[in-house]
Amino acid sequence: MTRRELDAAGITDPALRAAYRRCRDLNAAHGKTYFLATRLLPVERRPAVHALYGFARWADDIVDSTAPGTDDGLRRARLAALQQRLDKGLHQGEGGEPVVAALADTARRYAIDHSLFQDFMTAMRSDLVVTAYPTYVDLCGYMHGSAAVIGLQMLPVLGTVVPREEAEPHAAALGVAFQLTNFLRDVGEDLDRGRVYVPEDLLAGHGVERELLHWCRNTGHQDRRVLAALREFEALTRDVYRQAQPGLAMLDPVSRPCISTAYALYGSILDAVARDGYAVLHRRAVVSRRRRAAVATGALVRVAAIRLRRRRPAPTMSPQAPPADPARQLPEEVV
């Protein structure tokens, strides 16, 4: 976290500044796409986004930890400890852990509904026991806590030009779209962890069972049935992006370049998966640096234009000249 960002956000306490810096480090290390997009926000809003992402990243790392000696019992214990710190932080302002302290401060500053964090933790705990989802409806139940709430947490920070409740369904959909993209990209890695997020009925519709996924993963072979299922999952994901898209125009103009960039870059992951032949059971699809740079450059131009408009002084009338008659400025047929 730069001093400029913390100063702009009015964060003065040394311990709290260090806590926000820790969250920024987590974002930079693990969320390269989202970190890039966050750089497009006004400086005073960036610390809050880093805090929200840093907490989510920390909890997710507990669930997915593959460190030697880590088992489900240890993961449960660590999540329980995190839940205690979260409860203390949200109710008392600090939780004895820098990431929680930054999150609690952000929740207070932006009046973020505490139930969104509780729903997130419920989803994280379910990852330790649920390894598959029979239907897309079942998967959506999980994604409410793991993804939709992230979009809803972000909304007070981003700001809206419409009543917030009008933008909320689109913000939730965007969180889900991002997570579905990750699910498609990470099919092989999730399978190694014992989880399959592609709904079982979608897989079964193409004659795919978990055993076939393992066979493809272990042998490096492709199977036309698996490819067909992954294409359908991609199409489903793109439909969720379309549901989220109207929400971009509902955001505060200064926040739109950030979220539009994330929207474009995550969508590019889907393009990369398709271009790579849906080989997600064998390798992770990657968005090229050229594509990332092109999207970021376009966003920077939009940010510069917004800042220029905000800084440009309003035109003033000369005190010697009376204001012109507006009717004289219009074509005759309009008058």
Side-chain angles (χ1 to χ4, degrees):
M1 192 75 59
T2 66
R3 178 181 300 178
R4 176 168 166 259
E5 290 170 346
L6 293 167
D7 290 346
I11 301 166
T12 57
D13 179 79
L16 201 52
R17 288 169 74 93
Y20 275 101
R21 288 192 186 97
R22 170 61 178 149
C23 293
R24 185 184 188 275
D25 290 343
L26 286 170
N27 195 351
H30 297 286
K32 292 181 174 58
T33 296
Y34 209 72
F35 181 76
L36 174 62
T38 302
R39 298 290 296 165
L40 300 170
L41 281 174
V43 289
E44 70 275 6
R45 303 193 197 188
R46 295 176 197 169
V49 176
H50 290 314
L52 294 173
Y53 181 89
F55 179 81
R57 181 74 259 174
W58 188 28
D60 197 56
D61 283 348
I62 291 174
V63 172
D64 289 341
S65 175
T66 57
T70 303
D71 57 17
D72 283 348
L74 182 57
R75 293 186 187 96
R76 288 191 190 91
R78 288 175 175 172
L79 279 180
L82 179 57
Q83 180 72 67
Q84 291 179 344
R85 290 169 178 163
L86 174 65
D87 293 342
K88 182 179 179 181
L90 292 176
H91 292 97
Q92 299 180 21
E94 60 86 28
E97 161 59 44
V99 175
V100 174
L103 177 80
D105 184 66
T106 291
R108 178 186 61 79
R109 288 171 183 265
Y110 289 94
I112 300 173
D113 186 349
H114 291 184
S115 69
L116 298 176
F117 303 111
Q118 303 300 344
D119 289 349
F120 173 77
M121 291 300 295
T122 298
M124 293 300 96
R125 286 191 293 270
S126 77
D127 258 335
L128 299 182
V129 294
V130 180
T131 60
Y133 295 87
T135 69
Y136 182 63
V137 171
D138 296 312
L139 182 63
C140 284
Y142 164 76
M143 290 190 297
H144 164 74
S146 63
V149 299
I150 304 299
L152 297 174
Q153 291 168 18
M154 285 280 294
L155 207 51
V157 179
L158 299 172
T160 62
V161 294
V162 298
R164 190 181 300 169
E165 58 270 20
E166 185 177 340
E168 284 176 347
H170 304 289
L174 190 57
V176 169
F178 289 169
Q179 184 161 65
L180 287 171
T181 302
N182 289 339
F183 286 162
L184 180 60
R185 182 196 61 191
D186 299 338
V187 168
E189 296 174 20
D190 288 329
L191 188 64
D192 291 343
R193 299 185 183 103
R195 303 187 205 120
V196 176
Y197 291 104
V198 181
E200 290 177 320
D201 63 345
L202 187 156
L203 293 171
H206 297 278
V208 178
E209 295 182 349
R210 185 179 288 230
E211 290 74 16
L212 179 58
L213 297 177
H214 279 291
W215 180 82
C216 291
R217 177 72 167 166
N218 294 333
T219 65
H221 285 85
Q222 295 272 43
D223 185 282
R224 59 178 178 78
R225 294 166 291 178
V226 173
L227 294 180
L230 295 176
R231 286 192 192 97
E232 182 179 344
F233 194 67
E234 179 206 0
L236 181 155
T237 302
R238 291 190 187 276
D239 185 58
V240 180
Y241 274 97
R242 285 189 285 271
Q243 296 171 31
Q245 196 275 336
L248 299 177
M250 299 179 183
L251 297 175
D252 184 337
V254 299
S255 298
R256 289 175 198 166
C258 166
I259 304 305
S260 295
T261 297
Y263 184 97
L265 288 176
Y266 271 92
S268 294
I269 295 173
L270 294 180
D271 298 335
V273 167
R275 202 164 42 243
D276 196 33
Y278 301 92
V280 291
L281 280 164
H282 314 304
R283 55 186 173 268
R284 173 180 282 206
V286 177
V287 178
S288 70
R289 288 190 176 184
R290 178 176 295 183
R291 170 61 177 164
R292 290 165 59 88
V295 172
T297 299
L300 286 171
V301 170
R302 293 193 297 274
V303 169
I306 290 170
R307 290 175 179 170
L308 181 62
R309 286 196 299 268
R310 289 166 66 89
R311 291 173 183 170
R312 185 178 295 155
T316 57
M317 291 290 185
S318 168
Q320 289 80 20
D325 182 352
R328 295 180 181 269
Q329 310 302 312
L330 299 174
E332 185 175 342
E333 63 271 18
V334 176
V335 178

